[in-house]
């Protein structure tokens, strides 16, 4: 039986994610590795885009190592969606419409993409179908998993020139798929 995204994300602790990343990425040269932990709560104020729709804004407020209290904004685009009504899930891939930029307490900015988009790597999601509205629209709950990849040329202050990545897992509250109503979520990495 193939594990689902939800099973993998739930089973992995933050320490296991760091270990998995350390084993998966062989250093090309001497590197300074700094532990990084992040969490926050955010909103997609106009919902989430369906495949083929323009990217939509989302933001987060949270706490992170080296950022302190921070605010982040970016846009997200949905690249694909596969519906499995028998299993009650929709799975697919997503990416950055524009980089997600975290602004730390000191004003320094850390810009990231969801995956190494230049090499065809993107985030993945699973929507669990919870029910339907009276108008027949799907009510879903989302789980997203993405490698946040630093964009050194677009980062500032202490993050200028930074390289590296971390795995981010996010979960949403139930929302109406395809609507422009806000989508609330929380994440950690």
């Amino acid at each position: 039986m193939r594990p689902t995204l939800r099973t993998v994300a739930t089973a992995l602790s933050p320490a296991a994610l760091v270990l998995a990343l350390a084993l998966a990425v062989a250093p090309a040269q001497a590197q300074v590795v700094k532990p990084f932990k992040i969490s926050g709560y955010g909103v997609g104020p106009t919902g989430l885009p369906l495949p083929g729709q323009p990217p939509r804004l989302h933001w987060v407020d949270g706490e992170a190592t080296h950022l302190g209290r921070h605010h982040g904004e970016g846009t997200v685009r949905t690249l694909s969606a596969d519906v499995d009504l028998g299993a009650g899930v929709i799975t697919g891939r997503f990416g950055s419409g524009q980089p997600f930029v975290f602004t730390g307490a000191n004003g320094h900015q850390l810009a990231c993409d969801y995956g190494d988009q230049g090499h065809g790597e993107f985030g993945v999601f699973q929507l669990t179908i919870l029910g339907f509205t009276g108008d027949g629209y799907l009510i879903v709950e989302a789980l997203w998993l993405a490698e946040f990849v630093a964009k050194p040329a677009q980062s500032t202050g202490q993050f200028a020139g930074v390289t590296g990545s971390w795995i981010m897992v996010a979960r949403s509250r139930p929302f109406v798929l395809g609507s422009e109503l806000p989508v609330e979520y929380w994440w950690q990495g």
Side-chain angles (χ1 to χ4, degrees), residues 46-50 52-57 74-78 95-98:
T46 58
L48 297 175
L50 298 175
Q53 292 182 332
R56 292 192 189 174
L57 173 71
T75 62
V76 63
R77 60 191 172 119
T78 303
S96 304
Q98 66 185 39

Side-chain angles (χ1 to χ4, degrees), residues 95-184:
S96 304
Q98 66 185 39
F100 195 88
V101 179
F102 298 94
T103 302
N106 61 5
H108 297 183
Q109 294 185 324
L110 173 60
C112 302
D113 268 340
Y114 308 131
D116 188 349
Q117 297 184 127
H119 291 97
E121 298 170 10
F122 300 93
V124 295
F125 66 86
Q126 178 176 302
L127 305 177
T128 301
I129 300 170
L130 303 175
F132 298 89
T133 66
D135 297 339
Y137 290 97
L138 289 174
I139 300 170
V140 298
E141 189 173 65
L143 175 66
W144 296 276
L145 180 65
E147 178 182 12
F148 272 50
V149 179
K151 298 189 64 76
Q154 295 177 20
S155 299
T156 66
Q158 72 190 51
F159 302 109
V162 71
T163 60
S165 65
W166 72 92
I167 299 296
M168 189 78 86
V169 178
R171 294 180 190 272
S172 76
R173 294 188 188 276
F175 65 95
V176 178
L177 184 62
S179 78
E180 292 189 7
L181 297 172
V183 173
E184 299 178 57

Side-chain angles (χ1 to χ4, degrees), residues 2-27:
R2 186 173 167 203
T4 66
L5 177 61
R6 181 178 302 272
T7 305
V8 171
T10 303
L12 290 179
S13 69
L17 287 172
V18 169
L19 178 60
L21 280 177
L23 295 174
V25 179

Side-chain angles (χ1 to χ4, degrees), residues 39-43 58-62 70-73 100 102 185 187:
S39 63
Y41 166 82
V43 174
H58 68 108
W59 58 262
V60 69
D61 288 316
H70 65 273
H71 176 77
E73 290 186 11
F100 195 88
F102 298 94
Y185 62 93
W187 66 14

